[in-house]
Amino acid sequence: MNADIRRALLRRLPVGAPVRDAGLKRVLGIGSLLTLGVGGTIGAGLFSLTGIAAGNNAGPAVILSFAVAAIACAFAGLCYGELAGMIPSAGSAYVYAYAALGELAGWIIGWDLVLEYTVGASAVSVSWARYMRSLLEGWGIHIDPRFMASPFEVVGMAGGQPVHGLANLPAVFIIVALSALLMRGISESTRLNGVIVVVKLVIIAAVIGFGLPYIRTANYTPFIPPNTGEFGHYGLSGIMRAAGLVFFAYLGFDAISTVAQETRNPGRAMPIGLMGTLAICTLVYITFSFVLTGLVNYRDLAGDAAPVATAIDQTPFVWLKAAVKVGVICGFLSVMLLMLLGQSRVFFAMSRDGLLPPMFGRTHARWGTPVACHLFFMVVTGIMAAFLPITQLANMTSIGTLLAFVIVCVGVMVLRVREADRPRVFRVPGGMVVPVAGIASCLAVMVSLDGLTWLRLVVWLAIGLVVYGLYGMRHSRLGRDMPAMHDGE
């Protein structure tokens, strides 16, 4: 490899340099991080994937699948906390990889995170639109189904004739509305998110509380159904495959670190926000899946994308169905809010480093937000939500998150050697044990995902390498300002 190219790929961001003033306002505390994290994490994964993972992969042992995913998140979360204290910048795993492993690694993970958040926000907006349609129809309000589906989907008109959809306009509407809110300011966004989180948790608690008396213990037998001879179909491999699927439920977890540069005292607040979010969400997930699989036999949950409604049918509380729809809608709103926030901050950080056009690295003079990033992703995410059957890419978000976790754990190990004497506000306990355990657990879950998911990831990263070669490597701020520094040699 040409020496200049090698230096370019391995040049690293300076860890100890003061964080450049990016125009972002430091207004977030621990409470704001917790509401952002819980709001962005509890959503589509809980309400939709729990039943599918139980019915198709793990049976009642889906409870263990959530625990496995949580363990992987815990190891990674501790590593995020250490790096966020050392490098309190916007950009999350992208910045950490750039500082620890070099520019190429940073670009790869940044490109990966952008896809993760964009596809995730689009998919959730489509699901949100479907639940809104159901809720409105229950109130006697009917919308032309052609404006509720993509052109690749067939819908039924009032007369029964099948037609192709035109565009999912409600999905576009919610993307535009949330993007406008985020452009206005992060303080306003977190206040709304706090209200949404309270509503969502109250409804989840109601489902658990009212469902407990109607649990049938026979539904827990066998707790781990025997493997059918096919990898991922029950047994131990089924638990791991389900862990990879329900990892989507932890999607918002890593996005908390994208707002480090807008957090007061990130070295203290970030570890508490990350681990607090994980603790709350894991408790909710395990309790919810315990009640769900106790109310409904796992065999009846296979392919069920609305398992909560199925579970409520086992109780006499019909009114809970409407309440759950409100909870799901609120859950989707807060998830989309954090995904749209995360993708804009990663893009913003990449632009500030010269890897993307400079327009994306500017903030609004009054609002202190990267308006160009929000506008760009409002258009891209809105188009995807309107015209693509985006839900098929749900697993892509899981593998993208897992890859980011692996890179963060590796980054902690590398900086323990390269920056051994650097002060750390928070240090992961146990030396190298936690990062190694994080890498191993995340890779174990990644391996359990299907081949098509891996293929999509490889194709997307290949496209990213082309973009980096044509623009990023040539316009890198480090390449212009510090050609001889932090080259990884």
Side-chain angles (χ1 to χ4, degrees), residues 241-279:
R241 174 64 62 83
L245 181 62
V246 301
F247 210 91
F248 183 80
Y250 290 98
L251 180 61
F253 172 73
D254 68 315
I256 303 173
S257 61
T258 64
V259 295
Q261 204 162 342
E262 293 157 275
T263 302
R264 301 187 300 269
N265 192 8
R268 177 175 179 269
M270 275 291 159
I272 296 175
L274 286 162
M275 301 311 295
T277 293
L278 179 61

Short mmCIF file of all heavy atoms in Angstrom, two decimals, residues 241-279:
data_model
loop_
_atom_site.label_atom_id
_atom_site.label_comp_id
_atom_site.label_asym_id
_atom_site.label_seq_id
_atom_site.Cartn_x
_atom_site.Cartn_y
_atom_site.Cartn_z
N ARG A 241 -30.36 -16.71 18.40
CA ARG A 241 -30.97 -16.06 17.23
C ARG A 241 -32.00 -15.03 17.69
O ARG A 241 -32.08 -13.93 17.13
CB ARG A 241 -31.62 -17.12 16.34
CG ARG A 241 -32.41 -16.58 15.15
CD ARG A 241 -31.55 -15.83 14.14
NE ARG A 241 -30.53 -16.64 13.53
CZ ARG A 241 -30.71 -17.45 12.48
NH1 ARG A 241 -31.91 -17.53 11.91
NH2 ARG A 241 -29.71 -18.14 11.97
N ALA A 242 -32.78 -15.37 18.70
CA ALA A 242 -33.76 -14.43 19.23
C ALA A 242 -33.06 -13.22 19.85
O ALA A 242 -33.55 -12.09 19.75
CB ALA A 242 -34.65 -15.11 20.26
N ALA A 243 -31.90 -13.44 20.48
CA ALA A 243 -31.14 -12.32 21.05
C ALA A 243 -30.72 -11.34 19.96
O ALA A 243 -30.77 -10.12 20.14
CB ALA A 243 -29.91 -12.84 21.81
N GLY A 244 -30.32 -11.88 18.81
CA GLY A 244 -29.97 -11.02 17.69
C GLY A 244 -31.16 -10.24 17.17
O GLY A 244 -31.05 -9.07 16.78
N LEU A 245 -32.34 -10.88 17.19
CA LEU A 245 -33.56 -10.22 16.71
C LEU A 245 -34.01 -9.14 17.70
O LEU A 245 -34.28 -8.01 17.31
CB LEU A 245 -34.67 -11.26 16.52
CG LEU A 245 -36.01 -10.74 16.01
CD1 LEU A 245 -35.86 -10.11 14.63
CD2 LEU A 245 -37.04 -11.87 15.97
N VAL A 246 -34.08 -9.50 18.99
CA VAL A 246 -34.57 -8.52 19.96
C VAL A 246 -33.54 -7.44 20.26
O VAL A 246 -33.85 -6.47 20.95
CB VAL A 246 -35.01 -9.20 21.28
CG1 VAL A 246 -36.09 -10.21 21.02
CG2 VAL A 246 -33.83 -9.82 22.01
N PHE A 247 -32.31 -7.61 19.74
CA PHE A 247 -31.33 -6.54 19.91
C PHE A 247 -31.84 -5.25 19.31
O PHE A 247 -31.44 -4.16 19.72
CB PHE A 247 -30.00 -6.94 19.27
CG PHE A 247 -28.82 -6.33 19.93
CD1 PHE A 247 -28.17 -6.98 20.96
CD2 PHE A 247 -28.35 -5.08 19.55
CE1 PHE A 247 -27.08 -6.41 21.61
CE2 PHE A 247 -27.26 -4.50 20.18
CZ PHE A 247 -26.63 -5.17 21.21
N PHE A 248 -32.74 -5.37 18.34
CA PHE A 248 -33.39 -4.19 17.76
C PHE A 248 -34.08 -3.39 18.87
O PHE A 248 -34.21 -2.16 18.79
CB PHE A 248 -34.41 -4.61 16.71
CG PHE A 248 -35.09 -3.47 15.99
CD1 PHE A 248 -34.46 -2.81 14.97
CD2 PHE A 248 -36.36 -3.05 16.37
CE1 PHE A 248 -35.07 -1.74 14.30
CE2 PHE A 248 -36.98 -1.99 15.72
CZ PHE A 248 -36.34 -1.35 14.69
N ALA A 249 -34.53 -4.09 19.92
CA ALA A 249 -35.21 -3.42 21.03
C ALA A 249 -34.28 -2.53 21.83
O ALA A 249 -34.73 -1.66 22.58
CB ALA A 249 -35.86 -4.46 21.94
N TYR A 250 -32.96 -2.75 21.70
CA TYR A 250 -31.99 -1.94 22.42
C TYR A 250 -31.37 -0.87 21.51
O TYR A 250 -30.33 -0.29 21.84
CB TYR A 250 -30.87 -2.82 22.99
CG TYR A 250 -31.31 -3.71 24.13
CD1 TYR A 250 -31.65 -5.04 23.92
CD2 TYR A 250 -31.38 -3.23 25.43
CE1 TYR A 250 -32.04 -5.86 24.97
CE2 TYR A 250 -31.77 -4.03 26.48
CZ TYR A 250 -32.10 -5.35 26.25
OH TYR A 250 -32.49 -6.15 27.29
N LEU A 251 -32.00 -0.63 20.37
CA LEU A 251 -31.40 0.21 19.34
C LEU A 251 -31.05 1.61 19.83
O LEU A 251 -30.01 2.16 19.51
CB LEU A 251 -32.33 0.31 18.13
CG LEU A 251 -31.85 1.15 16.97
CD1 LEU A 251 -30.56 0.58 16.41
CD2 LEU A 251 -32.90 1.22 15.88
N GLY A 252 -31.92 2.22 20.64
CA GLY A 252 -31.68 3.59 21.06
C GLY A 252 -30.61 3.74 22.11
O GLY A 252 -30.20 4.86 22.43
N PHE A 253 -30.12 2.63 22.62
CA PHE A 253 -29.16 2.64 23.72
C PHE A 253 -27.89 3.41 23.36
O PHE A 253 -27.45 4.29 24.09
CB PHE A 253 -28.86 1.20 24.11
CG PHE A 253 -27.75 1.03 25.11
CD1 PHE A 253 -27.94 1.36 26.43
CD2 PHE A 253 -26.52 0.52 24.72
CE1 PHE A 253 -26.94 1.20 27.36
CE2 PHE A 253 -25.51 0.36 25.64
CZ PHE A 253 -25.72 0.69 26.96
N ASP A 254 -27.28 3.09 22.22
CA ASP A 254 -26.01 3.71 21.87
C ASP A 254 -26.16 5.15 21.40
O ASP A 254 -25.20 5.92 21.41
CB ASP A 254 -25.29 2.89 20.80
CG ASP A 254 -26.02 2.93 19.46
OD1 ASP A 254 -27.25 2.78 19.48
OD2 ASP A 254 -25.37 3.10 18.42
N ALA A 255 -27.38 5.53 21.01
CA ALA A 255 -27.59 6.89 20.50
C ALA A 255 -27.43 7.95 21.57
O ALA A 255 -27.23 9.13 21.27
CB ALA A 255 -28.98 7.01 19.85
N ILE A 256 -27.50 7.55 22.84
CA ILE A 256 -27.33 8.51 23.93
C ILE A 256 -25.96 9.20 23.81
O ILE A 256 -25.83 10.41 24.05
CB ILE A 256 -27.44 7.82 25.30
CG1 ILE A 256 -28.78 7.10 25.44
CG2 ILE A 256 -27.27 8.82 26.43
CD1 ILE A 256 -28.88 6.26 26.70
N SER A 257 -24.95 8.43 23.45
CA SER A 257 -23.59 8.99 23.41
C SER A 257 -23.41 10.00 22.29
O SER A 257 -22.40 10.72 22.27
CB SER A 257 -22.56 7.87 23.28
OG SER A 257 -22.76 7.14 22.09
N THR A 258 -24.36 10.08 21.34
CA THR A 258 -24.22 11.06 20.26
C THR A 258 -24.43 12.48 20.76
O THR A 258 -24.11 13.44 20.04
CB THR A 258 -25.21 10.77 19.11
OG1 THR A 258 -26.55 10.93 19.58
CG2 THR A 258 -25.02 9.38 18.56
N VAL A 259 -25.00 12.65 21.96
CA VAL A 259 -25.26 14.00 22.48
C VAL A 259 -24.26 14.36 23.59
O VAL A 259 -24.54 15.23 24.42
CB VAL A 259 -26.71 14.14 22.99
CG1 VAL A 259 -27.69 13.99 21.85
CG2 VAL A 259 -27.01 13.13 24.09
N ALA A 260 -23.09 13.72 23.61
CA ALA A 260 -22.09 14.00 24.65
C ALA A 260 -21.69 15.46 24.64
O ALA A 260 -21.43 16.06 25.70
CB ALA A 260 -20.86 13.11 24.45
N GLN A 261 -21.63 16.08 23.46
CA GLN A 261 -21.19 17.47 23.36
C GLN A 261 -22.29 18.45 23.76
O GLN A 261 -22.06 19.65 23.84
CB GLN A 261 -20.70 17.77 21.94
CG GLN A 261 -19.72 18.94 21.88
CD GLN A 261 -18.93 18.96 20.59
OE1 GLN A 261 -18.85 17.95 19.89
NE2 GLN A 261 -18.33 20.09 20.26
N GLU A 262 -23.49 17.92 24.01
CA GLU A 262 -24.60 18.76 24.48
C GLU A 262 -24.97 18.42 25.92
O GLU A 262 -26.03 18.80 26.40
CB GLU A 262 -25.81 18.57 23.55
CG GLU A 262 -25.56 19.11 22.16
CD GLU A 262 -26.45 18.48 21.10
OE1 GLU A 262 -26.11 17.40 20.59
OE2 GLU A 262 -27.50 19.07 20.80
N THR A 263 -24.07 17.69 26.60
CA THR A 263 -24.31 17.23 27.96
C THR A 263 -23.41 17.96 28.94
O THR A 263 -22.21 18.12 28.71
CB THR A 263 -24.04 15.71 28.07
OG1 THR A 263 -24.89 15.03 27.14
CG2 THR A 263 -24.31 15.20 29.46
N ARG A 264 -23.99 18.40 30.05
CA ARG A 264 -23.20 18.98 31.13
C ARG A 264 -22.45 17.86 31.86
O ARG A 264 -23.03 16.83 32.20
CB ARG A 264 -24.10 19.71 32.12
CG ARG A 264 -24.93 20.85 31.51
CD ARG A 264 -25.66 21.64 32.58
NE ARG A 264 -26.58 20.80 33.34
CZ ARG A 264 -27.85 20.61 33.02
NH1 ARG A 264 -28.36 21.22 31.94
NH2 ARG A 264 -28.63 19.84 33.76
N ASN A 265 -21.17 18.03 32.05
CA ASN A 265 -20.34 17.04 32.75
C ASN A 265 -20.53 15.63 32.16
O ASN A 265 -20.98 14.71 32.85
CB ASN A 265 -20.67 17.02 34.24
CG ASN A 265 -19.64 16.23 35.05
OD1 ASN A 265 -18.60 15.82 34.53
ND2 ASN A 265 -19.94 16.01 36.31
N PRO A 266 -20.20 15.43 30.86
CA PRO A 266 -20.43 14.13 30.22
C PRO A 266 -19.66 12.99 30.87
O PRO A 266 -20.11 11.84 30.82
CB PRO A 266 -19.97 14.37 28.78
CG PRO A 266 -19.04 15.55 28.85
CD PRO A 266 -19.57 16.40 29.95
N GLY A 267 -18.50 13.27 31.46
CA GLY A 267 -17.74 12.19 32.09
C GLY A 267 -18.50 11.51 33.20
O GLY A 267 -18.35 10.30 33.42
N ARG A 268 -19.33 12.24 33.91
CA ARG A 268 -20.16 11.66 34.96
C ARG A 268 -21.54 11.26 34.46
O ARG A 268 -22.05 10.19 34.79
CB ARG A 268 -20.31 12.67 36.11
CG ARG A 268 -21.23 12.17 37.23
CD ARG A 268 -21.25 13.17 38.39
NE ARG A 268 -22.13 12.70 39.45
CZ ARG A 268 -23.42 13.01 39.55
NH1 ARG A 268 -23.98 13.79 38.61
NH2 ARG A 268 -24.17 12.57 40.54
N ALA A 269 -22.14 12.13 33.65
CA ALA A 269 -23.53 11.91 33.24
C ALA A 269 -23.67 10.76 32.25
O ALA A 269 -24.66 10.01 32.30
CB ALA A 269 -24.10 13.19 32.63
N MET A 270 -22.70 10.61 31.34
CA MET A 270 -22.83 9.58 30.31
C MET A 270 -22.88 8.15 30.87
O MET A 270 -23.76 7.37 30.51
CB MET A 270 -21.70 9.72 29.28
CG MET A 270 -21.98 10.71 28.19
SD MET A 270 -23.30 10.14 27.11
CE MET A 270 -23.82 11.69 26.39
N PRO A 271 -21.94 7.76 31.74
CA PRO A 271 -22.04 6.39 32.28
C PRO A 271 -23.34 6.14 33.02
O PRO A 271 -23.94 5.06 32.89
CB PRO A 271 -20.83 6.31 33.22
CG PRO A 271 -19.87 7.32 32.71
CD PRO A 271 -20.72 8.44 32.19
N ILE A 272 -23.80 7.14 33.80
CA ILE A 272 -25.05 6.96 34.54
C ILE A 272 -26.23 6.87 33.57
O ILE A 272 -27.13 6.04 33.74
CB ILE A 272 -25.25 8.13 35.53
CG1 ILE A 272 -24.14 8.10 36.59
CG2 ILE A 272 -26.62 8.04 36.20
CD1 ILE A 272 -24.19 9.29 37.54
N GLY A 273 -26.23 7.74 32.55
CA GLY A 273 -27.32 7.71 31.57
C GLY A 273 -27.38 6.41 30.81
O GLY A 273 -28.45 5.84 30.59
N LEU A 274 -26.22 5.92 30.38
CA LEU A 274 -26.15 4.68 29.61
C LEU A 274 -26.57 3.48 30.45
O LEU A 274 -27.45 2.69 30.05
CB LEU A 274 -24.73 4.48 29.08
CG LEU A 274 -24.31 5.38 27.91
CD1 LEU A 274 -22.78 5.40 27.78
CD2 LEU A 274 -24.94 4.90 26.61
N MET A 275 -25.95 3.30 31.62
CA MET A 275 -26.24 2.13 32.43
C MET A 275 -27.61 2.22 33.08
O MET A 275 -28.30 1.21 33.27
CB MET A 275 -25.16 1.95 33.50
CG MET A 275 -23.75 1.78 32.93
SD MET A 275 -23.63 0.55 31.59
CE MET A 275 -24.03 -0.95 32.50
N GLY A 276 -28.06 3.44 33.40
CA GLY A 276 -29.41 3.60 33.94
C GLY A 276 -30.46 3.25 32.92
O GLY A 276 -31.45 2.56 33.23
N THR A 277 -30.27 3.69 31.69
CA THR A 277 -31.19 3.33 30.61
C THR A 277 -31.25 1.82 30.42
O THR A 277 -32.32 1.23 30.30
CB THR A 277 -30.74 3.99 29.29
OG1 THR A 277 -30.89 5.41 29.40
CG2 THR A 277 -31.56 3.49 28.11
N LEU A 278 -30.07 1.20 30.40
CA LEU A 278 -30.02 -0.26 30.20
C LEU A 278 -30.74 -0.99 31.32
O LEU A 278 -31.49 -1.94 31.07
CB LEU A 278 -28.56 -0.70 30.11
CG LEU A 278 -28.33 -2.20 29.92
CD1 LEU A 278 -28.95 -2.68 28.62
CD2 LEU A 278 -26.85 -2.52 29.95
N ALA A 279 -30.53 -0.57 32.57
CA ALA A 279 -31.16 -1.23 33.71
C ALA A 279 -32.68 -1.13 33.64
O ALA A 279 -33.40 -2.12 33.82
CB ALA A 279 -30.64 -0.64 35.01
#
